[in-house]
Amino acid sequence: MVNTPRKKLAILISGRGSNMEAILNSTRQAYYPAEICLVISDNKDAAGLDTARNANIKASAFQRCDYETRLEHEAAIMNAINSACADIVCLAGYMRILSADFTKTYEGKLINIHPSLLPKYKGLETHQRAIDAGDKEHGCTVHFVNSEMDGGEIIAQAKVPILKTDTADTLSARVLVEEHKLYSKVIADLAKF
Ligand code: GRF
């Protein structure tokens, strides 16, 4: 059997990093076709940076306030991604809108997870908006990233029912369980090519 090298993932986070941690756990399986080469955060206090460092993964903060322009900030991040030879760039709770230049550079290998059944509820407060709308189901989407916020081609979705008793917190907790499974699965599928 030919041993194909595992694809390298750069993961961009801004905070908690639970999706990053779920991906990290998947990469510990012997046959998972990808590994994390780099974690980047725009927030030096992001908890996910410590999670990555504790797993001996290179984790760097690039704070917007340390750069004069958005262009310079993104250039530094792109430089780090390219130096790490990442094959796939995963946004996992990265709370910054990327420029068209950035999204174009990684077109076809830049993906994001969003906590709604896109195209419904782009942006923030997705769980409360789904409850307020009286929706029967909600969920999460992994999609390619283009210059339109939460607007790129949808790769896969996972659904959960909305219960009568749900608050934004209970619903988001159930969606998050699905996010963790879905993101690892989509990455594995992409990494096989
Ligand atoms: C997740 O709900 C993700 O879908 C959204 O931001 C949240 C990040 O959570 N884009 P975490 O940092 O992965 O725990």
Side-chain angles (χ1 to χ4, degrees), residues 19-171:
N19 276 286
M20 185 272 298
E21 192 172 5
I23 296 164
L24 174 62
N25 287 335
S26 295
T27 65
R28 291 186 168 124
Q29 297 161 21
Y31 294 105
Y32 195 76
E35 64 190 6
I36 302 175
C37 62
L38 176 65
V39 172
I40 286 175
S41 174
D42 62 334
N43 163 18
K44 69 177 173 41
D45 299 320
L49 286 174
D50 287 335
T51 311
R53 286 176 187 141
N54 289 337
N56 290 320
I57 288 168
K58 185 173 162 55
S60 312
F62 293 86
Q63 302 211 105
R64 174 66 182 85
C65 56
D66 294 332
Y67 298 86
E68 274 200 8
T69 64
R70 176 198 198 190
L71 213 69
E72 286 169 46
H73 182 229
E74 285 192 350
I77 292 174
M78 287 197 264
N79 193 28
I81 292 172
N82 298 343
S83 301
C85 298
D87 301 296
I88 301 173
V89 182
C90 308
L91 306 182
Y94 187 68
M95 298 304 287
R96 212 164 267 284
I97 306 227
L98 294 163
S99 69
D101 183 41
F102 189 105
T103 59
K104 198 82 198 151
T105 300
Y106 299 107
E107 192 173 2
K109 55 183 198 173
L110 176 61
I111 58 178
N112 180 44
I113 186 146
H114 181 74
S116 80
L117 297 172
L118 289 172
K120 278 188 155 186
Y121 313 126
K122 296 176 178 179
L124 300 174
E125 314 283 341
T126 57
H127 310 296
Q128 190 60 54
R129 285 157 67 201
I131 291 171
D132 291 346
D135 290 357
K136 296 273 174 291
E137 58 182 14
H138 186 49
C140 53
T141 303
V142 178
H143 63 95
F144 287 111
V145 177
N146 62 15
S147 57
E148 187 200 335
M149 187 188 62
D150 301 325
E153 183 194 337
I154 291 171
I155 305 170
Q157 295 185 312
K159 293 179 180 175
V160 302
I162 299 182
L163 310 178
K164 285 204 172 60
T165 50
D166 262 331
T167 62
D169 284 348
T170 59
L171 182 55

Side-chain angles (χ1 to χ4, degrees), residues 15-19 92-93 113-115 176 179:
R16 181 176 60 177
S18 72
N19 276 286
I113 186 146
H114 181 74
L176 195 62
E179 290 186 35

